[in-house]
Amino acid sequence: MLEIKNLQVTAEDKEILRGIDLSVNKGEVHAIMGPNGSGKSTLARALSGHPEYQVTGGQVLFEGRDLLDMDPDERAREGVFMAFQYPVEIAGVNNAYFLKAALNAKRKHQGLPELDAMEFMSLVNDKAKLLEIDKSMLSRAVNEGFSGGEKKRNEIFQMALLEPTLAILDETDSGLDIDALKLVANGVNAMRSPERAFIVVTHYQRLLNYIVPDFVHVLSGGRIVKSGGKELALELEQKGYGWIEAA
Amino acid sequence: MTPQLAEKPKSVPFASAFDQRPHGGPRWLEDLRARGAARFAALGLPTVREEEWRFTNVAPIGASEFTLAEPVSGVADQLAGFAYSDAPVRLVVVNGRYDSTLSRTRGLPQGVRVGSLAQAMTDHADVVQRYFGQLADFTHRSFAALNTAFVQDGAYVYLPDNVILDTPIHVVFVTGAEAARVMAHPRTLVVASAGSQCRIVESYIGAEGQTYFTNGVSEVFVAENAIVDHYKVQQESLDAFHVASLHAHTARSATFSSHSFALGGKLVRNDALAILDGEGGECTLNGLYLADRERLIDNHTAIDHAKPHCPSHEVYKGILGGTARAVFNGKIIVRQDAQKTDAKQTNRALLLTDGATINTKPQLEIFADDVKCTHGAAIGQLDDDAIFYLRARGLTYADARDMMIHAFAAEILDRVKIEPLRQALEAELFEQLARDLAEVDGART
């Protein structure tokens, strides 16, 4: 589904990713771990098309198409979703209104009929129940005045609604207490399917107790320095990142 | 300086119009006109050397030598295309004169008076004479002096005690002439007696492409425990000059709110001035303006807290494109007596282009010691992070940007309590915005 070949990315003229190779198939969950500054969030943001990150080399194919050639919104409509590390507060833009517009933009792109207000609300009710999310969040402005936990839950809620083919979670666990973490993990687990893949970027192993990955990759200095199964995360938890960086 | 000198400045604009100054009406009116004319002769038009006019050069108004319009017919079709043209009750004032054939004033409760101001000056003389000109100071304000010199007619609204009007009153001022550069000095007087409630919409319109000058003065008196909800919709021709002042006075526990929408005009100056002159009175002055091309929109507000326990609220927002300029000056005066004043002022502007500019200034004069006054100004472009966030969910750049701009404007639009008016304003605003944004996009590629 996703083929990353020798991806090189700079931000503010600083070289951050120095050649990433990664292959993600349908149904798989890949965890990206690594110390601060290793480039793991850069990878997530570059894949989503963030304008502050310049791709200077390499290739990314998403379902056989050149992902890097697409605008950020086109990537989203094609089925790539990124849960932001720091979701943006947007005063005055109603959450439900925005989500309906986003969902319909995607449906239109897929050649599906747009949902009317009734159909949308019924879908919202289903997803809210599934994720144990308080619907009152929807009547507020996008992320405005939300607590850290609420913002992350809103990201997962959006993901559930937009049903991406590839979901990238950029440190969704950071700053969450254990209850909020479980809620987020349950949401992701509820969405796991043979047709969908996840890239879970995290600094801490804890999240991976709840979202069990198929593969774990360790980033250091802008390269993947080690890949393995879920047990690699536990090893990192015990030994820290030092032994990887030294290797 | 000798008094003679003060009476004879270098040159008074509109000299030919002054020769045709209107006459007639009651004696006090004749007298008032004469005093207005004398003051204008002494003051002339303001210049940018005056603090109140630092950023707004009105010399082009004086240079245009506008003349007084002849009475015109055939503006009925013009009235159809403007916001809220289907209002059930409306007073139409064409080039400063009330037009009864275009107006609709039926079905109002007993004792309510709406219609021609000139007529009210004779047959409702005691009320009109008591209130007329009491707020619009013309000794220092030259446009008020000019208006007073030419005062003839306009709109009059009177509510007796405890009458609650459900139907909004729409006052439409039409200015312009096909073959001439005309000016009009319309006047509005609203007297809401104790315990009464009403909603007033003032619309200023003109035919697109016409160059003319509207110089309006409105006075609103809100008596004890009365509520007046006021809207001003300025949709003048994009070649027109529009100068207007709104003066409101609130008595004990009276509530006045005004929402100003400035969508048209080439050079626009709005003054909104409220005096909170009774305990427990409340005042809201909000505004939304859209400036593009080389237009200038200047909003000056002043809220005078003269008595204790009065809250006031003020939010002005602007959207600027092209090489448009905007000015916002928000004065809040808290008199020594006015303890427990709670005044909030916010001013925000969204600049869509690099060429657009705004000058903004809060001006607080506080003489009481137990008060709360807050003010804030924010000028800027659309937030790139927010745009990216919306795009990352599948919205195109244009859709994301439009959503942000709509949200910006909605904060003011959503406070319009007359639903058909709100919808009309929203449609008009976003139609104009779409044109402006298409230009911005055109310049980008």
Side-chain angles (χ1 to χ4, degrees):
Chain A
M1 169 193 285
L2 186 74
E3 286 290 333
I4 305 176
K5 292 174 193 156
N6 191 30
L7 181 66
Q8 294 151 55
V9 175
T10 62
E12 290 171 350
D13 293 327
K14 227 179 99 195
E15 199 179 359
I16 299 179
L17 297 185
R18 298 158 194 265
I20 299 279
D21 291 285
L22 181 66
S23 202
V24 177
N25 295 310
K26 282 183 182 179
E28 293 176 351
V29 175
H30 290 246
I32 309 282
M33 302 187 71
N36 288 329
S38 59
K40 51 190 196 300
S41 278
T42 297
L43 176 60
R45 288 170 201 173
L47 290 177
S48 71
H50 197 292
E52 280 170 27
Y53 298 84
Q54 281 86 45
V55 174
T56 51
Q59 192 186 31
V60 179
L61 293 177
F62 176 63
E63 299 197 310
R65 293 186 55 203
D66 184 356
L67 186 75
L68 302 176
D69 200 35
M70 301 180 202
D71 281 339
D73 44 296
E74 193 184 351
R75 297 181 199 197
R77 291 193 297 273
E78 283 285 331
V80 178
F81 179 93
M82 182 177 76
F84 281 60
Q85 183 180 4
Y86 303 110
V88 183
E89 297 195 13
I90 309 178
V93 174
N94 175 274
N95 218 355
Y97 175 73
F98 153 56
L99 285 178
K100 183 163 167 276
L103 181 61
N104 279 335
K106 186 177 177 191
R107 289 181 65 92
K108 210 170 136 188
H109 184 74
Q110 293 170 324
L112 296 168
E114 296 186 25
L115 296 187
D116 66 23
M118 293 280 281
E119 293 164 330
F120 176 72
M121 279 325 287
S122 108
L123 181 66
V124 159
N125 287 337
D126 293 350
K127 298 294 182 186
K129 209 174 286 170
L130 179 74
L131 301 177
E132 298 170 60
I133 273 173
D134 180 6
K135 276 186 302 176
S136 69
M137 210 150 72
L138 277 157
S139 54
R140 293 158 66 183
V142 180
N143 294 320
E144 195 186 28
F146 283 27
S147 69
E150 281 177 323
K151 282 181 185 167
K152 299 297 174 74
R153 258 178 283 165
N154 195 24
E155 295 293 291
I156 299 302
F157 183 71
Q158 293 179 22
M159 177 175 81
L161 213 55
L162 295 172
E163 299 185 320
T165 321
L166 171 67
I168 305 161
L169 275 61
D170 186 8
E171 301 204 27
T172 299
D173 54 326
S174 57
L176 291 189
D177 65 27
I178 191 71
D179 293 330
L181 184 84
K182 279 183 190 168
L183 220 79
V184 164
N186 290 344
V188 171
N189 288 331
M191 288 196 58
R192 284 180 80 155
S193 102
E195 295 304 310
R196 183 173 290 132
F198 289 86
I199 295 176
V200 181
V201 173
T202 180
H203 190 73
Y204 306 102
Q205 183 271 337
R206 196 177 60 177
L207 177 69
L208 305 180
N209 288 337
Y210 301 96
I211 303 174
V212 181
D214 301 301
F215 302 95
V216 175
H217 310 278
V218 181
L219 238 69
S220 181
R223 286 192 185 90
I224 292 178
V225 290
K226 201 166 173 62
S227 292
K230 62 183 182 227
E231 61 290 340
L232 178 57
L234 292 167
E235 206 177 340
L236 285 167
E237 179 76 358
Q238 281 164 8
K239 298 187 186 169
Y241 287 113
W243 64 283
I244 298 272
E245 285 172 310
Chain B
M1 194 194 278
T2 65
Q4 286 90 334
L5 256 179
E7 295 298 319
K8 283 201 191 320
K10 41 278 147 190
S11 79
V12 180
F14 318 119
S16 63
F18 265 86
D19 294 339
Q20 312 157 26
R21 246 173 4 91
H23 292 284
R27 191 182 191 85
W28 61 265
L29 183 67
E30 283 280 23
D31 177 50
L32 199 66
R33 278 194 205 108
R35 280 158 52 209
R39 276 316 291 166
F40 184 73
L43 293 166
L45 285 176
T47 70
V48 290
R49 286 189 297 276
E50 291 165 55
E51 183 59 28
E52 285 282 291
W53 294 88
R54 243 177 92 195
F55 301 108
T56 301
N57 181 5
V58 296
I61 298 180
S64 293
E65 276 301 325
F66 291 106
T67 56
L68 290 175
E70 297 298 315
V72 284
S73 55
V75 290
D77 46 328
Q78 213 170 306
L79 289 170
F82 290 86
Y84 198 41
S85 50
D86 54 350
V89 174
R90 79 173 183 201
L91 316 180
V92 180
V93 178
V94 180
N95 288 331
R97 290 185 185 85
Y98 182 80
D99 187 326
S100 59
T101 58
L102 295 172
S103 301
R104 298 188 284 251
T105 59
R106 293 203 182 153
L108 294 170
Q110 192 147 30
V112 172
R113 289 283 314 250
V114 301
S116 158
L117 180 61
Q119 197 180 337
M121 281 170 180
T122 51
D123 61 17
H124 219 222
D126 52 333
V127 179
V128 176
Q129 196 181 349
R130 194 179 325 143
Y131 292 102
F132 189 89
Q134 295 304 306
L135 296 175
D137 157 48
F138 61 81
T139 39
H140 302 101
R141 306 174 63 88
S142 81
F143 283 100
L146 183 64
N147 175 288
T148 305
F150 286 94
V151 72
Q152 183 174 24
D153 199 358
Y156 179 60
V157 176
Y158 170 82
L159 275 80
D161 286 356
N162 300 315
V163 167
I164 294 168
L165 260 193
D166 295 326
T167 321
I169 296 167
H170 191 200
V171 188
V172 188
F173 298 96
V174 192
T175 311
E178 257 174 39
R181 295 185 151 217
V182 298
M183 62 177 172
H185 305 276
R187 198 79 190 207
T188 306
L189 177 63
V190 176
V191 179
S193 305
S196 66
Q197 296 181 20
C198 68
R199 289 174 291 177
I200 311 259
V201 183
E202 284 183 41
S203 285
Y204 292 84
I205 66 175
E208 208 44 73
Q210 289 186 4
T211 301
Y212 56 83
F213 170 39
T214 309
N215 178 34
V217 171
S218 301
E219 293 173 295
V220 181
F221 293 86
V222 194
E224 184 168 345
N225 215 28
I227 299 175
V228 174
D229 194 14
H230 174 273
Y231 301 91
K232 175 179 172 182
V233 182
Q234 187 271 100
Q235 281 182 281
E236 304 276 25
S237 140
L238 293 180
D239 294 307
F241 298 92
H242 176 95
V243 177
S245 59
L246 166 70
H247 307 259
H249 179 275
T250 64
R252 188 184 173 92
S253 304
T255 305
F256 175 75
S257 69
S258 178
H259 289 76
S260 159
F261 296 89
L263 305 173
K266 180 191 181 71
L267 191 163
V268 176
R269 166 66 175 246
N270 284 316
D271 282 56
L273 314 142
I275 304 167
L276 289 157
D277 203 14
E279 259 191 66
E282 183 162 355
C283 164
T284 301
L285 295 183
N286 289 343
L288 179 65
Y289 56 90
L290 188 63
D292 55 6
R293 308 178 193 201
E294 295 170 330
R295 298 164 54 210
L296 165 67
I297 298 193
D298 178 344
N299 280 295
H300 268 61
T301 66
I303 301 177
D304 185 346
H305 286 261
K307 293 283 154 55
H309 292 283
C310 293
S312 70
H313 323 270
E314 193 175 1
V315 182
Y316 264 77
K317 288 188 146 185
I319 303 170
L320 286 84
T323 52
R325 288 193 301 128
V327 180
F328 176 78
N329 190 95
K331 189 192 276 188
I332 294 173
I333 305 164
V334 182
R335 309 265 170 199
Q336 202 169 359
D337 245 11
Q339 300 295 2
K340 305 289 179 188
T341 286
D342 186 356
K344 288 190 200 77
Q345 181 189 94
T346 311
N347 166 232
R348 288 180 202 283
L350 195 55
L351 308 180
L352 301 177
T353 55
D354 292 337
T357 53
I358 177 164
N359 295 98
T360 175
K361 188 174 91 178
Q363 204 181 339
L364 271 53
E365 296 172 12
I366 302 171
F367 304 100
D369 51 17
D370 185 13
V371 301
K372 264 201 296 198
C373 287
T374 59
H375 64 87
I379 315 299
Q381 270 114 30
L382 288 170
D383 177 1
D384 286 339
D385 288 338
I387 298 262
F388 177 69
Y389 187 81
L390 297 177
R391 291 186 77 188
R393 296 296 176 256
L395 299 180
T396 61
Y397 172 77
D399 286 345
R401 178 187 61 186
D402 289 357
M403 198 176 268
M404 299 276 295
I405 297 174
H406 287 212
F408 180 82
E411 189 188 346
I412 304 293
L413 276 176
D414 287 352
R415 296 186 207 203
V416 176
K417 289 183 201 137
I418 304 167
E419 186 53 23
L421 175 65
R422 194 197 62 75
Q423 286 175 9
L425 283 170
E426 189 174 33
E428 176 63 29
L429 185 78
F430 294 145
E431 198 186 304
Q432 270 194 42
L433 267 173
R435 274 199 305 269
D436 292 344
L437 291 170
E439 260 171 49
V440 172
D441 289 343
R444 191 186 300 266
T445 51

